[in-house]
Amino acid sequence: MLSGTTINQLQVDRLRPQDLLPHRPPMLLIDQLVDYIPGESILAETFIKPDTMFFQGHFPGEPILPGVVLVEMMFQACGIFGRLEALNAVEVSDVSENYRPKSGRAIKIDKMTFNKPVLPNDTVRIQAVFEHKMLNFSVFKARVDIDGRGIAAKGIVTVLINS
């Protein structure tokens, strides 16, 4: 799985969100990893399919992706960051194909703002920038950008990441 003691961009390109998160469709909300800077940040991307279940009732005739889904995307990006950090912390000889860090969970949302609606056929990029850690709690500045239309949402999220 790993060829060195840290994960490089080539390895990130080969990892899929489902390799790093316990989520599965329809709750796996991230399609691919775009970039990972160890100890600093994660960038992920998702295409918003027109037939996604969230559009069925929010709102018929004028579908808008619910803000809570954008926040969940942020939490999932943070979870991926935490798992990549955990993989970077173990020795290569300790890593097997079945290695999985323990799960984490969402803890807190601060200063969240929703700037623009996310619509069917939008591509969004989810960025989480690591701010600090206290015990197993990690704080991130996170945002969701809509390709070509600006910021959809931004705020501060705290996650519990068990390594």
Side-chain angles (χ1 to χ4, degrees):
M1 182 172 177
L2 299 177
S3 61
T5 57
T6 60
I7 296 172
N8 62 39
Q9 188 60 45
L10 178 62
Q11 291 160 328
V12 168
D13 292 343
R14 291 181 184 162
L15 290 171
R16 301 170 304 160
Q18 59 267 34
D19 296 331
L20 298 163
L21 293 174
H23 303 75
R24 293 296 174 260
M27 284 308 298
L28 179 62
L29 302 175
I30 294 178
D31 292 339
Q32 66 179 355
L33 303 180
V34 176
D35 193 27
Y36 165 63
I37 301 172
E40 292 183 29
S41 65
I42 188 90
L43 182 63
E45 189 172 82
T46 296
F47 174 73
I48 309 301
K49 298 177 187 92
D51 63 347
T52 186
M53 70 176 193
F54 302 112
F55 292 136
Q56 292 175 14
H58 196 264
F59 300 99
E62 292 183 54
I64 297 172
L65 196 66
V68 70
V69 175
L70 301 177
V71 174
E72 176 62 21
M73 287 177 183
M74 293 175 188
F75 279 126
Q76 288 185 21
C78 293
I80 291 170
F81 178 89
R83 286 172 182 249
L84 290 171
E85 291 290 293
L87 285 170
N88 273 333
V90 298
E91 291 296 322
V92 173
S93 59
D94 296 334
V95 177
S96 72
E97 289 297 319
N98 298 321
Y99 174 78
R100 291 288 183 268
K102 295 177 184 173
S103 294
R105 64 185 175 94
I107 298 296
K108 187 176 180 184
I109 303 164
D110 282 315
K111 301 178 182 174
M112 191 62 60
T113 58
F114 300 94
N115 303 26
K116 295 185 182 199
V118 175
L119 308 173
N121 294 310
D122 278 341
T123 297
V124 296
R125 285 197 162 195
I126 307 98
Q127 181 182 43
V129 177
F130 178 73
E131 288 291 305
H132 66 273
K133 183 174 183 172
M134 183 185 303
L135 303 173
N136 285 338
F137 298 95
S138 294
V139 179
F140 296 84
K141 283 186 180 175
R143 63 189 283 165
V144 177
D145 290 289
I146 309 165
D147 189 29
R149 290 200 297 119
I151 299 171
K154 65 180 179 177
I156 299 169
V157 296
T158 303
V159 296
L160 171 66
I161 300 175
N162 297 313
S163 48

mmCIF file of all heavy atoms in Angstrom, residues 67 71 74-75 107-115 131-132 139-144 151-158:
data_model
loop_
_atom_site.group_PDB
_atom_site.id
_atom_site.type_symbol
_atom_site.label_atom_id
_atom_site.label_comp_id
_atom_site.label_asym_id
_atom_site.label_seq_id
_atom_site.Cartn_x
_atom_site.Cartn_y
_atom_site.Cartn_z
ATOM 1 N N GLY A 67 -27.793 22.737 3.060
ATOM 2 C CA GLY A 67 -26.570 23.189 3.707
ATOM 3 C C GLY A 67 -25.958 22.140 4.606
ATOM 4 O O GLY A 67 -24.731 22.028 4.701
ATOM 5 N N VAL A 71 -22.016 20.723 5.015
ATOM 6 C CA VAL A 71 -21.276 20.566 6.268
ATOM 7 C C VAL A 71 -20.786 19.122 6.406
ATOM 8 O O VAL A 71 -19.642 18.883 6.802
ATOM 9 C CB VAL A 71 -22.138 20.984 7.478
ATOM 10 C CG1 VAL A 71 -21.424 20.685 8.782
ATOM 11 C CG2 VAL A 71 -22.487 22.462 7.391
ATOM 12 N N MET A 74 -17.714 18.643 4.499
ATOM 13 C CA MET A 74 -16.562 19.182 5.223
ATOM 14 C C MET A 74 -16.070 18.176 6.262
ATOM 15 O O MET A 74 -14.866 17.922 6.383
ATOM 16 C CB MET A 74 -16.934 20.497 5.913
ATOM 17 C CG MET A 74 -17.232 21.630 4.984
ATOM 18 S SD MET A 74 -17.791 23.061 5.943
ATOM 19 C CE MET A 74 -18.300 24.161 4.647
ATOM 20 N N PHE A 75 -17.000 17.598 7.020
ATOM 21 C CA PHE A 75 -16.616 16.610 8.033
ATOM 22 C C PHE A 75 -15.953 15.394 7.387
ATOM 23 O O PHE A 75 -14.979 14.859 7.909
ATOM 24 C CB PHE A 75 -17.822 16.178 8.865
ATOM 25 C CG PHE A 75 -18.179 17.145 9.965
ATOM 26 C CD1 PHE A 75 -19.457 17.653 10.069
ATOM 27 C CD2 PHE A 75 -17.242 17.518 10.918
ATOM 28 C CE1 PHE A 75 -19.790 18.531 11.091
ATOM 29 C CE2 PHE A 75 -17.571 18.402 11.946
ATOM 30 C CZ PHE A 75 -18.842 18.917 12.028
ATOM 31 N N ILE A 107 -18.005 16.819 15.846
ATOM 32 C CA ILE A 107 -18.152 17.328 17.208
ATOM 33 C C ILE A 107 -18.793 18.707 17.243
ATOM 34 O O ILE A 107 -19.723 18.947 18.004
ATOM 35 C CB ILE A 107 -16.774 17.389 17.917
ATOM 36 C CG1 ILE A 107 -16.174 15.992 18.039
ATOM 37 C CG2 ILE A 107 -16.876 18.067 19.287
ATOM 38 C CD1 ILE A 107 -16.961 15.030 18.902
ATOM 39 N N LYS A 108 -18.329 19.630 16.400
ATOM 40 C CA LYS A 108 -18.764 21.013 16.544
ATOM 41 C C LYS A 108 -18.689 21.752 15.217
ATOM 42 O O LYS A 108 -17.802 21.504 14.404
ATOM 43 C CB LYS A 108 -17.862 21.701 17.575
ATOM 44 C CG LYS A 108 -18.248 23.086 17.969
ATOM 45 C CD LYS A 108 -17.301 23.585 19.064
ATOM 46 C CE LYS A 108 -17.644 24.985 19.495
ATOM 47 N NZ LYS A 108 -16.682 25.500 20.474
ATOM 48 N N ILE A 109 -19.606 22.696 15.040
ATOM 49 C CA ILE A 109 -19.634 23.576 13.873
ATOM 50 C C ILE A 109 -19.626 25.009 14.406
ATOM 51 O O ILE A 109 -20.430 25.352 15.272
ATOM 52 C CB ILE A 109 -20.915 23.368 13.035
ATOM 53 C CG1 ILE A 109 -21.050 21.914 12.601
ATOM 54 C CG2 ILE A 109 -20.946 24.319 11.853
ATOM 55 C CD1 ILE A 109 -22.440 21.556 12.117
ATOM 56 N N ASP A 110 -18.727 25.844 13.909
ATOM 57 C CA ASP A 110 -18.652 27.248 14.326
ATOM 58 C C ASP A 110 -18.641 28.163 13.110
ATOM 59 O O ASP A 110 -18.049 27.827 12.079
ATOM 60 C CB ASP A 110 -17.352 27.523 15.098
ATOM 61 C CG ASP A 110 -17.386 27.040 16.530
ATOM 62 O OD1 ASP A 110 -18.391 27.274 17.210
ATOM 63 O OD2 ASP A 110 -16.384 26.431 16.951
ATOM 64 N N LYS A 111 -19.272 29.313 13.262
ATOM 65 C CA LYS A 111 -19.196 30.398 12.280
ATOM 66 C C LYS A 111 -19.474 29.926 10.855
ATOM 67 O O LYS A 111 -18.809 30.366 9.909
ATOM 68 C CB LYS A 111 -17.839 31.093 12.362
ATOM 69 C CG LYS A 111 -17.562 31.686 13.726
ATOM 70 C CD LYS A 111 -16.194 32.322 13.790
ATOM 71 C CE LYS A 111 -15.959 32.842 15.201
ATOM 72 N NZ LYS A 111 -14.616 33.348 15.373
ATOM 73 N N MET A 112 -20.442 29.034 10.687
ATOM 74 C CA MET A 112 -20.765 28.509 9.360
ATOM 75 C C MET A 112 -21.641 29.509 8.623
ATOM 76 O O MET A 112 -22.634 29.984 9.168
ATOM 77 C CB MET A 112 -21.487 27.166 9.499
ATOM 78 C CG MET A 112 -21.643 26.408 8.207
ATOM 79 S SD MET A 112 -20.091 25.922 7.405
ATOM 80 C CE MET A 112 -19.322 24.898 8.636
ATOM 81 N N THR A 113 -21.247 29.822 7.409
ATOM 82 C CA THR A 113 -22.064 30.677 6.558
ATOM 83 C C THR A 113 -22.302 29.967 5.232
ATOM 84 O O THR A 113 -21.456 29.210 4.753
ATOM 85 C CB THR A 113 -21.390 32.043 6.291
ATOM 86 O OG1 THR A 113 -20.121 31.834 5.676
ATOM 87 C CG2 THR A 113 -21.204 32.819 7.588
ATOM 88 N N PHE A 114 -23.456 30.221 4.666
ATOM 89 C CA PHE A 114 -23.839 29.638 3.384
ATOM 90 C C PHE A 114 -24.018 30.789 2.409
ATOM 91 O O PHE A 114 -24.922 31.610 2.560
ATOM 92 C CB PHE A 114 -25.119 28.810 3.541
ATOM 93 C CG PHE A 114 -24.950 27.690 4.530
ATOM 94 C CD1 PHE A 114 -25.319 27.859 5.860
ATOM 95 C CD2 PHE A 114 -24.376 26.490 4.157
ATOM 96 C CE1 PHE A 114 -25.140 26.839 6.789
ATOM 97 C CE2 PHE A 114 -24.183 25.472 5.075
ATOM 98 C CZ PHE A 114 -24.569 25.656 6.390
ATOM 99 N N ASN A 115 -23.141 30.851 1.425
ATOM 100 C CA ASN A 115 -23.074 32.016 0.553
ATOM 101 C C ASN A 115 -23.823 31.862 -0.761
ATOM 102 O O ASN A 115 -24.434 32.812 -1.222
ATOM 103 C CB ASN A 115 -21.609 32.351 0.262
ATOM 104 C CG ASN A 115 -20.809 32.588 1.528
ATOM 105 O OD1 ASN A 115 -21.131 32.078 2.588
ATOM 106 N ND2 ASN A 115 -19.754 33.356 1.428
ATOM 107 N N GLU A 131 -6.091 23.523 11.705
ATOM 108 C CA GLU A 131 -5.749 24.668 12.552
ATOM 109 C C GLU A 131 -4.963 24.234 13.786
ATOM 110 O O GLU A 131 -3.890 24.730 14.038
ATOM 111 C CB GLU A 131 -7.024 25.406 12.982
ATOM 112 C CG GLU A 131 -7.681 26.176 11.860
ATOM 113 C CD GLU A 131 -6.854 27.376 11.431
ATOM 114 O OE1 GLU A 131 -6.526 28.220 12.280
ATOM 115 O OE2 GLU A 131 -6.521 27.462 10.236
ATOM 116 N N HIS A 132 -5.538 23.333 14.576
ATOM 117 C CA HIS A 132 -4.849 22.849 15.771
ATOM 118 C C HIS A 132 -5.538 21.594 16.305
ATOM 119 O O HIS A 132 -6.645 21.256 15.888
ATOM 120 C CB HIS A 132 -4.768 23.927 16.862
ATOM 121 C CG HIS A 132 -6.093 24.322 17.430
ATOM 122 N ND1 HIS A 132 -6.875 25.301 16.859
ATOM 123 C CD2 HIS A 132 -6.776 23.877 18.514
ATOM 124 C CE1 HIS A 132 -7.981 25.436 17.567
ATOM 125 N NE2 HIS A 132 -7.956 24.584 18.569
ATOM 126 N N VAL A 139 -9.322 20.755 14.910
ATOM 127 C CA VAL A 139 -10.100 21.900 14.439
ATOM 128 C C VAL A 139 -9.601 22.290 13.046
ATOM 129 O O VAL A 139 -8.387 22.376 12.808
ATOM 130 C CB VAL A 139 -9.971 23.085 15.418
ATOM 131 C CG1 VAL A 139 -10.750 24.293 14.913
ATOM 132 C CG2 VAL A 139 -10.445 22.680 16.812
ATOM 133 N N PHE A 140 -10.550 22.534 12.145
ATOM 134 C CA PHE A 140 -10.240 22.868 10.761
ATOM 135 C C PHE A 140 -11.033 24.083 10.313
ATOM 136 O O PHE A 140 -12.193 24.239 10.683
ATOM 137 C CB PHE A 140 -10.651 21.720 9.820
ATOM 138 C CG PHE A 140 -9.914 20.445 10.026
ATOM 139 C CD1 PHE A 140 -10.304 19.543 10.997
ATOM 140 C CD2 PHE A 140 -8.830 20.125 9.216
ATOM 141 C CE1 PHE A 140 -9.631 18.344 11.181
ATOM 142 C CE2 PHE A 140 -8.148 18.927 9.391
ATOM 143 C CZ PHE A 140 -8.552 18.039 10.381
ATOM 144 N N LYS A 141 -10.414 24.912 9.480
ATOM 145 C CA LYS A 141 -11.155 25.889 8.698
ATOM 146 C C LYS A 141 -11.547 25.143 7.434
ATOM 147 O O LYS A 141 -10.682 24.577 6.757
ATOM 148 C CB LYS A 141 -10.294 27.097 8.350
ATOM 149 C CG LYS A 141 -10.109 28.057 9.487
ATOM 150 C CD LYS A 141 -9.374 29.302 9.020
ATOM 151 C CE LYS A 141 -9.189 30.254 10.175
ATOM 152 N NZ LYS A 141 -8.377 31.423 9.787
ATOM 153 N N ALA A 142 -12.832 25.130 7.140
ATOM 154 C CA ALA A 142 -13.298 24.354 5.999
ATOM 155 C C ALA A 142 -14.170 25.215 5.091
ATOM 156 O O ALA A 142 -14.793 26.185 5.539
ATOM 157 C CB ALA A 142 -14.084 23.136 6.484
ATOM 158 N N ARG A 143 -14.180 24.829 3.825
ATOM 159 C CA ARG A 143 -15.018 25.558 2.862
ATOM 160 C C ARG A 143 -15.399 24.645 1.715
ATOM 161 O O ARG A 143 -14.703 23.673 1.413
ATOM 162 C CB ARG A 143 -14.310 26.804 2.361
ATOM 163 C CG ARG A 143 -13.044 26.518 1.601
ATOM 164 C CD ARG A 143 -12.228 27.751 1.298
ATOM 165 N NE ARG A 143 -12.809 28.498 0.201
ATOM 166 C CZ ARG A 143 -12.476 29.749 -0.083
ATOM 167 N NH1 ARG A 143 -11.588 30.379 0.633
ATOM 168 N NH2 ARG A 143 -13.016 30.350 -1.098
ATOM 169 N N VAL A 144 -16.502 24.999 1.078
ATOM 170 C CA VAL A 144 -16.953 24.322 -0.139
ATOM 171 C C VAL A 144 -17.044 25.393 -1.216
ATOM 172 O O VAL A 144 -17.748 26.395 -1.049
ATOM 173 C CB VAL A 144 -18.326 23.636 0.060
ATOM 174 C CG1 VAL A 144 -18.799 23.013 -1.245
ATOM 175 C CG2 VAL A 144 -18.259 22.596 1.167
ATOM 176 N N ILE A 151 -17.735 30.706 -3.403
ATOM 177 C CA ILE A 151 -17.880 29.967 -2.148
ATOM 178 C C ILE A 151 -19.341 29.625 -1.878
ATOM 179 O O ILE A 151 -20.204 30.504 -1.871
ATOM 180 C CB ILE A 151 -17.320 30.789 -0.969
ATOM 181 C CG1 ILE A 151 -15.832 31.067 -1.169
ATOM 182 C CG2 ILE A 151 -17.559 30.069 0.357
ATOM 183 C CD1 ILE A 151 -15.258 32.050 -0.163
ATOM 184 N N ALA A 152 -19.602 28.358 -1.637
ATOM 185 C CA ALA A 152 -20.948 27.911 -1.254
ATOM 186 C C ALA A 152 -21.116 27.989 0.254
ATOM 187 O O ALA A 152 -22.150 28.424 0.752
ATOM 188 C CB ALA A 152 -21.198 26.488 -1.736
ATOM 189 N N ALA A 153 -20.098 27.549 0.998
ATOM 190 C CA ALA A 153 -20.177 27.537 2.460
ATOM 191 C C ALA A 153 -18.773 27.566 3.044
ATOM 192 O O ALA A 153 -17.827 27.079 2.420
ATOM 193 C CB ALA A 153 -20.914 26.292 2.936
ATOM 194 N N LYS A 154 -18.665 28.136 4.251
ATOM 195 C CA LYS A 154 -17.382 28.121 4.944
ATOM 196 C C LYS A 154 -17.632 28.235 6.436
ATOM 197 O O LYS A 154 -18.660 28.761 6.879
ATOM 198 C CB LYS A 154 -16.452 29.225 4.457
ATOM 199 C CG LYS A 154 -16.945 30.625 4.747
ATOM 200 C CD LYS A 154 -15.963 31.643 4.227
ATOM 201 C CE LYS A 154 -16.489 33.053 4.509
ATOM 202 N NZ LYS A 154 -15.546 34.081 4.097
ATOM 203 N N GLY A 155 -16.689 27.695 7.202
ATOM 204 C CA GLY A 155 -16.804 27.757 8.650
ATOM 205 C C GLY A 155 -15.688 26.978 9.307
ATOM 206 O O GLY A 155 -14.717 26.565 8.673
ATOM 207 N N ILE A 156 -15.846 26.762 10.605
ATOM 208 C CA ILE A 156 -14.868 26.035 11.393
ATOM 209 C C ILE A 156 -15.545 24.769 11.914
ATOM 210 O O ILE A 156 -16.651 24.828 12.448
ATOM 211 C CB ILE A 156 -14.360 26.897 12.564
ATOM 212 C CG1 ILE A 156 -13.694 28.158 12.019
ATOM 213 C CG2 ILE A 156 -13.401 26.105 13.449
ATOM 214 C CD1 ILE A 156 -13.382 29.215 13.056
ATOM 215 N N VAL A 157 -14.894 23.632 11.696
ATOM 216 C CA VAL A 157 -15.455 22.369 12.157
ATOM 217 C C VAL A 157 -14.442 21.663 13.056
ATOM 218 O O VAL A 157 -13.234 21.761 12.853
ATOM 219 C CB VAL A 157 -15.883 21.452 10.986
ATOM 220 C CG1 VAL A 157 -17.019 22.087 10.193
ATOM 221 C CG2 VAL A 157 -14.734 21.126 10.067
ATOM 222 N N THR A 158 -14.980 20.993 14.063
ATOM 223 C CA THR A 158 -14.158 20.215 14.980
ATOM 224 C C THR A 158 -14.560 18.757 14.863
ATOM 225 O O THR A 158 -15.751 18.437 14.865
ATOM 226 C CB THR A 158 -14.343 20.691 16.436
ATOM 227 O OG1 THR A 158 -14.018 22.084 16.507
ATOM 228 C CG2 THR A 158 -13.453 19.913 17.399
#
